[in-house]
Amino acid sequence: MKGPRDKRMSIDEVVDTLEDGMTIGIGGWGPRRKPMALVRAIYRSGLKDLTLVSWGGADVGLLTRAGKVRKLVYAFVSLDSVPLEPNFQKARQEGTVPEVVELDEGMFNTGLQAAAQRLPFLPMRAGLGSDVLVNNPWIKTVQSPYDEGFGHEELVAVPALRLDVALVHMNRADQHGNATYLGPDPYFDDLFCMAADRAYVSCEQVVDTAGLSHDTPVQRLLLNRMMVSGVVETPNGAHFTTCTPDYERDEKFQRAYAAAAGGSEEDWQAFHDRFLAGDEAAYQAAVTAFRNEQEQQA
Amino acid sequence: MSTSTDLTTADVCAAAIADAFKDDGEIFASPMGMLPMLGVRLAKLTSNPDLVISDGEALFLAGVPPLFAKADKVEGWIPFRRVFDVVAYGKRHVMMGATQIDRQGNQNISAIGDFAQPKRQLLGSRGAPGNTVNNRTSYWVPRHSPRVFVEAVDIVSGVGPSRAAAAGPAASRFNDIHRIVSNLGVLDVNGPERTLRLLSVHPGVTVDEVRAASGCEIHVDGADSDVPETRLPTTEEQLIIREVLDPKGLRFKEVPRPEAAT
């Protein structure tokens, strides 16, 4: 019997499928389970004019710092234990991202749902009365055809957040694109995949299909292969964000990142040269060296 | 044994925050920040045991653990995406921060200055627009100052009652700005034309001090002398705060303990 196709790819093969001007959605949440290995590869690529759709963390910081982003769609950008993302702040305060769409979080979720359902919009209350609608005058309202006793309510018609490509990071996947998260929260990764024409899943480990539900409830299988175009095995690929239970956030590294991002051009250049100039293997080696250094200082 | 002379502003704030949640019944209390988390847990252990609380991540907690404790009995699953379901469902009371809050009860956590190129980019509007038109919303301001309480916020993230009314019934039906607790006092938005009103001042704070620390007019019902003092935490509450919920004194990072009186 023939099985479904093998979708394993390398990081570079994924980035080779991307084009200037594309709309790219990035899964995870703030500093949690971000497909950072893929983000780093975009950071050092020649890609430009991207539209980025993200629950923003260092992915947004890195790609805005590298001048990759023409349009940014977000509801927040934060590193949590470092509340404000210095590279994102710098980009906003210097006006280097030409177009900015700041949404309410619920609107962001609803926009992904609309896209995943192939609808042009979905109605909701969020945004009404706020400056989200003032700063994004292209977002329209829609009048309810029904009167439930409050008149024909005027609701926000949250536009679908259609993506060309979604990038997400999971704990385990099989070679066909079925994938499972082992931490407490799925975030919105399945919605990102369904909102996109193509989705690429990076993961800590590729296992055989039976292994996906061997020691974890089947309800954790968030992605099925219909949603997924490619699978990349990249251990520690979410670093320095969380990938619970495989690893937690690397707080020391995050502090070093934030200090460099919020420091002088020289500070950032030094961080770039040490960690981001080479490929993913070079990054991981530099992270290991950094960790050893920190332990010796402790 | 604790005496009233040990009372700190942080403890008074915790009790005032707990009071904001005491009449909520069986709903999801979502605190953002340390004192709101302390106040909500205090309410659950005293005035409102029906409150539903979470670990701030993905779990509903059946117990009431100390601040930032990990292990606890779990009663449900509330990953980030399900929070939006509860927001729309309405059985939720969120207490958010506010970088700015204005006389009309609008709140800003997005950016300072012009949105196109802000002087200071903050978090982004997060869930504030949706919270304020869907479920009960309160604010916590650890440092009451004229830069926080302003005539008009630079960017409206959280929607006050007048803006909600102007946006129509879909926005105003569930708009419910409940309390603003600061390190100086407790306010609501039931002043004239739904503006800020001072409900109480914390012990040792005068109404004039609140005015001086505000960049907009703050309404007072009657004379200044009619404004009551925020109630002191009971002995039981003090014990819970000190011995159970925050034995390490983490609350003083948000509201510093004053210099020891001589």
Side-chain angles (χ1 to χ4, degrees):
Chain A
M1 190 186 84
K2 272 182 150 181
R5 70 184 186 278
D6 184 346
K7 295 175 187 164
R8 283 174 293 179
M9 300 171 74
S10 69
I11 292 169
D12 289 339
E13 283 169 339
V14 170
V15 174
D16 283 346
T17 71
L18 307 180
E19 293 166 27
D20 293 349
M22 270 188 168
T23 298
I24 299 180
I26 299 181
W29 170 277
R32 296 175 174 86
R33 220 179 65 226
K34 284 282 175 179
M36 293 302 288
L38 296 174
V39 169
R40 285 186 281 268
I42 296 172
Y43 172 93
R44 59 177 183 264
S45 74
L47 288 164
K48 59 181 193 296
D49 294 331
L50 301 176
T51 292
L52 208 59
V53 179
S54 176
W55 303 105
D59 53 336
V60 167
L62 280 172
L63 298 181
T64 53
R65 183 73 183 223
K68 301 290 178 196
V69 184
R70 191 191 63 72
K71 178 177 174 182
L72 177 63
V73 183
Y74 68 99
F76 65 84
V77 182
S78 176
L79 303 172
D80 272 23
S81 46
V82 179
L84 302 177
E85 217 294 348
N87 275 327
F88 164 67
Q89 284 194 289
K90 182 180 165 70
R92 286 284 287 136
Q93 291 162 195
E94 294 178 358
T96 54
V97 177
E99 200 179 337
V100 159
V101 177
E102 181 178 295
L103 301 174
D104 163 81
E105 287 175 359
M107 290 173 76
F108 192 106
N109 176 41
T110 298
L112 288 177
Q113 286 182 331
Q117 295 171 29
R118 301 182 297 173
L119 287 167
F121 74 93
L122 280 169
M124 78 182 309
R125 295 181 201 284
L128 293 169
S130 79
D131 278 350
V132 168
L133 298 191
V134 174
N135 293 327
N136 300 288
W138 54 278
I139 298 178
K140 310 287 188 196
T141 57
V142 63
Q143 192 180 58
S144 169
Y146 308 106
D147 182 350
E148 293 186 301
F150 303 91
H152 294 271
E153 288 182 281
E154 197 77 24
L155 297 156
V156 177
V158 180
L161 291 175
R162 287 287 323 160
L163 310 172
D164 294 312
V165 172
L167 307 175
V168 302
H169 187 81
M170 305 287 281
N171 299 89
R172 308 279 181 270
D174 68 11
Q175 62 181 344
H176 314 298
N178 302 299
T180 181
Y181 69 102
L182 300 178
D185 201 315
Y187 309 118
F188 304 79
D189 287 0
D190 49 339
L191 280 180
F192 274 97
C193 293
M194 292 169 77
D197 292 338
R198 284 183 284 132
Y200 297 102
V201 181
S202 62
C203 66
E204 292 299 308
Q205 193 186 0
V206 171
V207 297
D208 66 29
T209 305
L212 287 172
S213 58
H214 172 68
D215 55 359
T216 190
V218 69
Q219 287 88 342
R220 286 181 179 277
L221 275 160
L222 187 67
L223 307 184
N224 70 65
R225 57 190 167 81
M226 292 186 291
M227 307 171 182
V228 173
S229 301
V231 176
V232 181
E233 186 176 56
T234 177
N236 211 34
H239 182 270
F240 48 98
T241 71
T242 63
C243 192
T244 314
D246 292 311
Y247 45 91
E248 296 302 318
R249 185 158 61 237
D250 187 339
E251 295 286 354
K252 282 180 181 157
F253 190 93
Q254 178 167 288
R255 279 200 293 277
Y257 165 83
S264 66
E265 287 299 326
E266 292 72 32
D267 293 335
W268 180 254
Q269 189 62 46
F271 184 89
H272 166 94
D273 291 347
R274 179 167 183 192
F275 295 108
L276 300 169
D279 63 7
E280 180 65 13
Y283 173 83
Q284 295 293 349
V287 167
T288 302
F290 174 83
R291 186 169 298 148
N292 292 338
E293 223 170 73
Q294 296 288 318
E295 278 166 12
Q296 276 164 15
Q297 283 171 14
Chain B
M1 190 183 135
S2 300
T3 66
S4 62
T5 55
D6 301 326
L7 268 180
T8 64
T9 303
D11 300 327
V12 171
C13 290
I17 292 167
D19 283 354
F21 289 85
K22 75 177 162 56
D23 299 322
D24 284 336
E26 199 159 42
I27 70 167
F28 178 24
S30 282
M32 314 279 164
M34 187 124 56
L35 257 295
M37 192 191 288
L38 180 62
V40 158
R41 291 185 184 187
L42 182 61
K44 184 162 169 65
L45 287 173
T46 56
S47 56
N48 186 1
D50 279 338
L51 268 185
V52 175
I53 66 169
S54 81
D55 65 350
E57 297 272 336
L59 305 174
F60 279 137
L61 300 179
V64 187
L67 296 178
F68 304 110
K70 280 279 180 200
D72 196 64
K73 189 165 57 171
V74 169
E75 66 173 345
W77 187 50
I78 184 74
F80 287 115
R81 64 201 299 169
R82 285 207 173 177
V83 172
F84 300 124
D85 295 340
V86 184
V87 170
Y89 180 49
K91 291 191 179 180
R92 179 168 178 264
H93 180 175
V94 60
M95 181 174 267
M96 307 186 76
T99 306
Q100 292 179 321
I101 188 157
D102 67 23
R103 197 167 164 236
Q104 312 290 325
N106 301 305
Q107 168 250 30
N108 175 20
I109 48 171
S110 169
I112 299 296
D114 180 26
F115 184 77
Q117 190 174 340
K119 271 189 289 205
R120 184 148 194 262
Q121 176 65 45
L122 306 170
L123 280 176
S125 280
R126 292 216 80 149
N131 289 340
T132 46
V133 296
N134 275 297
N135 59 212
R136 177 168 275 190
T137 303
S138 293
Y139 298 114
W140 160 241
V141 177
R143 280 179 297 279
H144 196 127
S145 87
R147 291 171 59 168
V148 177
F149 287 84
V150 296
E151 192 56 41
V153 296
D154 293 349
I155 290 147
V156 177
S157 307
V159 182
S162 296
R163 293 263 304 206
S172 61
R173 271 175 73 189
F174 305 115
N175 178 258
D176 178 12
I177 309 302
H178 184 59
R179 287 276 190 286
I180 300 143
V181 178
S182 82
N183 60 320
L184 298 183
V186 181
L187 304 90
D188 69 6
V189 289
N190 290 320
E193 293 169 19
R194 306 300 312 273
T195 54
L196 294 178
R197 176 178 70 161
L198 188 60
L199 292 175
S200 68
V201 286
H202 297 337
V205 178
T206 66
V207 174
D208 272 340
E209 281 168 343
V210 174
R211 285 210 184 92
S214 304
C216 62
E217 195 186 324
I218 307 280
H219 174 78
V220 165
D221 281 339
D224 284 6
S225 56
D226 296 336
V227 177
E229 199 168 85
T230 310
R231 77 171 179 88
L232 302 179
T234 64
T235 308
E236 183 199 11
E237 286 175 317
Q238 292 177 45
L239 202 67
I240 291 171
I241 293 169
R242 288 172 193 165
E243 308 294 332
V244 181
L245 293 176
D246 187 23
K248 293 177 186 159
L250 297 171
R251 62 194 179 281
F252 301 122
K253 289 182 181 175
E254 238 174 47
V255 179
R257 205 196 301 253
E259 296 299 313
T262 50

